Amino acid sequence: MAEEKIILVTNDDGVTAPGIRALIEAVSPLGRVVVVAPDSPQSGQGHAITIGTPLRLEPVTIFEGIEAWQCSGTPVDCVKLARARILHRLPDICVSGINHGANHSINVIYSGTMSAAMEAAIEGVPSVGFSSLDYSYEQNFVLSKKVAFAVAKKMLETALPVGTLFNVNIPAATEEDFKGIRVARQADAKWVEAFDERRDPRGKKYYWLTGEFVNRDKGEDTDVWALANNYASLVPVQFDLTNHKLKKQIEAEWTF
């Protein structure tokens, strides 16, 4: 008999977030689910790891019939500990999310959701991060669960290359308005940021980061376009940051 598929589930919103419960429910029919997630919200942590303080790893019983652990560290720490201390082998896939808020375009750089999935991909595990454009903590995850199930199922059925990593974002659309999953590229967009300066009751300055998301990309093959038109976007992501086109130019034109 074929060995049961192992699905590692993690996130950056914390083990008690509604999004991770929705993701567990979505992928549970596909194999044995093991959860390792932060014990508190870790949004925006990117690929941070904990090196200056000890890590705590404790079992939790909040998901009926599911082996689950909470970790005191970052999303990347969770994946590292799952690999080193909990699983007897590499999982078949790693799924991260479902994040409360978008991780399209440049957000992939900052996202703890995507960094957890990226860490698993670095280890050779086909991985995916799921994010919903609905920022509400009480959002309806029915559509997101359907997308997560469909993508995870395809991943388990496909012989994917080492390092496979997908960034999936789901629009804030009704099931009736949803148009399907669209394979896309990362849009050329960025945050135009500012710091709102304020003063505390003692008169000392402090700052809140603010910003506006600006899409400079008019292409209709991007994740931002797909989401604006009620598609879920699926972007194949790589963690080799080498600019190969510029590398060739520099090799040809520069001498040292």
Side-chain angles (χ1 to χ4, degrees):
M1 295 179 61
E3 189 173 9
E4 184 179 28
K5 301 293 186 182
I6 296 178
I7 303 169
L8 175 62
V9 177
T10 188
N11 75 346
D12 74 346
D13 287 320
V15 72
T16 61
I20 198 170
R21 181 175 292 275
L23 185 55
I24 291 165
E25 293 171 354
V27 302
S28 288
L30 299 172
R32 174 191 161 209
V33 168
V34 178
V35 179
V36 185
D39 61 9
S40 60
Q42 298 285 325
S43 295
Q45 288 292 326
H47 215 88
I49 57 173
T50 301
I51 58 175
T53 57
L55 290 168
R56 308 291 182 183
L57 186 64
E58 299 177 346
V60 292
T61 57
I62 56 178
F63 309 112
E64 185 176 355
I66 300 294
E67 180 183 357
W69 301 77
Q70 64 179 14
C71 171
S72 62
T74 68
V76 173
D77 291 329
C78 292
V79 173
K80 287 181 176 292
L81 277 170
R83 168 73 178 92
R85 292 294 178 180
I86 295 172
L87 298 175
H88 68 280
R89 65 171 176 86
L90 285 177
D92 292 277
I93 60 172
C94 173
V95 296
S96 181
I98 299 168
N99 191 65
H100 295 253
N103 275 317
H104 57 7
S105 184
I106 196 65
N107 294 310
V108 71
I109 300 294
Y110 306 101
S111 166
T113 301
M114 282 303 298
S115 288
M118 184 179 294
E119 180 63 29
I122 291 170
E123 290 290 329
V125 179
S127 302
V128 56
F130 293 103
S131 303
S132 168
L133 268 67
D134 187 337
Y135 287 79
S136 170
Y137 201 74
E138 293 80 23
Q139 68 175 276
N140 184 330
F141 283 99
V142 171
L143 177 58
S144 293
K145 287 164 67 174
K146 289 183 176 180
V147 171
F149 174 83
V151 172
K153 185 172 184 291
K154 285 290 187 184
M155 291 175 68
L156 288 167
E157 294 172 345
T158 306
L160 296 168
V162 173
T164 292
L165 175 61
F166 297 122
N167 183 20
V168 175
N169 282 266
I170 300 103
T174 64
E175 291 183 79
E176 292 73 24
D177 292 335
F178 181 59
K179 295 180 181 177
I181 301 172
R182 187 180 180 102
V183 179
R185 64 175 174 86
Q186 180 179 314
D188 178 14
K190 65 168 292 185
W191 286 93
V192 177
E193 296 170 336
F195 286 92
D196 185 9
E197 182 179 301
R198 304 180 187 181
R199 292 185 181 271
D200 65 21
R202 296 184 178 182
K204 298 190 70 173
K205 293 179 183 178
Y206 68 96
Y207 301 90
W208 278 109
L209 176 63
T210 64
E212 178 186 4
F213 185 74
V214 177
N215 181 22
R216 303 172 293 196
D217 197 322
K218 304 306 178 184
E220 296 185 359
D221 59 342
T222 71
D223 50 5
V224 173
W225 185 94
L227 292 159
N229 287 274
N230 288 337
Y231 291 95
S233 62
L234 186 153
V235 178
V237 179
Q238 64 182 22
F239 39 83
D240 175 4
L241 300 183
T242 306
N243 184 330
H244 292 280
K245 182 178 180 180
L246 181 58
K247 176 177 176 290
K248 289 181 180 180
Q249 178 184 341
I250 297 301
E251 287 173 335
E253 297 178 2
W254 287 19
T255 58
F256 294 96

